[in-house]
Amino acid sequence: MALATRTGRRPSTTRTLWDSTVGKKSVMAVSGLIMLGYLVVHMIGNLKIFFGPGDFNGYAHWLRHMGEPFLHSHWGLWAARVILLAAVVAHAVSAYQLSRRDIKARPVRYAHKRRRASYATRTMRWGGVILALFIVWHLLDLTTLTVNERAWAGHPYENVLATFSTWYGNTIYIVAMAALAMHVRHGFWSAAQTLGAGNARRDRALKLLANALALVLFAGFVSVPLAVMTGVVS
């Protein structure tokens, strides 16, 4: 109301929604589900490495040229990148602002914290930080090839092997995937509640689905470095 008085006009519906806690949680939920969809597709694509360099490099080539001839080369890939980047930024900004709002709402620490809520909050916050740092590393490692010392431009299969032939490459990836699994496990169930999909009857099924998604993503992603480490993929 104060804003409307100072400027002489009412704030837009979009601004009002964004400024509300419900709006920020909804943005977090929708952007999180977009990223979850990407992760499932990305994991399935990664598993093509088990079919050899021809299949994996062919998949990487298709990604760069998907949508042709309707789209120009790389247009489809860049469209996916822009959507994903928008989802990541929206998710991170809304998470940060909700966190700050929560801290301001209770400046004095509770004498007795609820252990379950505290655990979930810490997991999401630190998991988000770990994943943000990992995204930067992952891009520098397998997209720009900046930190991949044995990278070979235009040869994705060989570059993946180069990454997972180092102890630090494996360690960073596996720790990040563990953080991802925990983030998905809590985030999926939380998103369902925010978007109104959860209720007393569906609560158990949603939690089981969240656990299953987290486990499948962790196993799928981690199977690649483990296969390189053990020589299954070489």
Side-chain angles (χ1 to χ4, degrees):
M1 184 63 69
L3 179 62
T5 302
R6 288 197 305 268
T7 62
R9 60 182 179 182
R10 298 175 63 86
S12 66
T13 303
T14 302
R15 179 60 186 270
T16 301
L17 181 62
W18 169 248
D19 286 342
S20 69
T21 297
V22 172
K24 292 183 189 297
K25 286 185 176 181
S26 297
V27 169
M28 273 194 72
V30 173
S31 59
L33 292 175
I34 290 172
M35 290 187 288
L36 179 60
Y38 164 79
L39 288 169
V40 171
V41 173
H42 188 42
M43 180 201 69
I44 294 172
N46 282 1
L47 295 178
K48 293 184 76 68
I49 201 167
F50 288 98
F51 297 94
D55 277 43
F56 191 77
N57 288 339
Y59 166 68
H61 176 81
W62 174 82
L63 283 177
R64 293 191 294 272
H65 300 279
M66 63 179 173
E68 290 185 350
F70 178 73
L71 299 176
H72 285 290
S73 175
H74 288 71
W75 280 21
L77 178 60
W78 275 105
R81 285 172 172 172
V82 169
I83 293 171
L84 184 60
L85 177 61
V88 170
V89 171
H91 197 78
V93 170
S94 54
Y96 174 76
Q97 292 185 356
L98 282 169
S99 178
R100 296 298 301 171
R101 181 170 294 184
D102 182 55
I103 292 171
K104 289 180 180 179
R106 48 180 180 84
V108 180
R109 291 181 176 270
Y110 294 128
H112 301 286
K113 294 182 179 180
R114 291 181 300 172
R115 294 186 64 183
R116 185 174 181 182
S118 178
Y119 169 77
T121 300
R122 287 199 304 269
T123 298
M124 294 301 285
R125 287 176 181 171
W126 284 107
V129 172
I130 291 171
L131 290 173
L133 294 173
F134 171 73
I135 288 171
V136 175
W137 165 267
H138 198 50
L139 291 173
L140 292 174
D141 184 29
L142 290 174
T143 301
T144 67
L145 309 180
T146 306
V147 298
N148 196 334
E149 297 177 355
R150 290 179 286 179
W152 188 7
H155 295 77
Y157 181 91
E158 289 75 10
N159 294 340
V160 170
L161 264 59
T163 290
F164 296 134
S165 296
T166 62
W167 68 268
Y168 56 85
N170 288 313
T171 301
I172 291 171
Y173 195 85
I174 292 173
V175 168
M177 292 307 101
L180 172 67
M182 295 298 292
H183 207 76
V184 168
R185 179 176 178 269
H186 178 72
F188 179 81
W189 182 83
S190 180
Q193 304 306 309
T194 298
L195 298 177
N199 57 37
R201 288 186 307 156
R202 290 196 289 262
D203 194 51
R204 180 180 174 82
L206 285 170
K207 287 183 178 180
L208 287 174
L209 181 57
N211 290 335
L213 279 169
L215 181 60
V216 168
L217 285 171
F218 178 76
F221 280 120
V222 171
S223 67
V224 177
L226 291 179
V228 176
M229 290 167 62
T230 56
V232 173
V233 173
S234 60

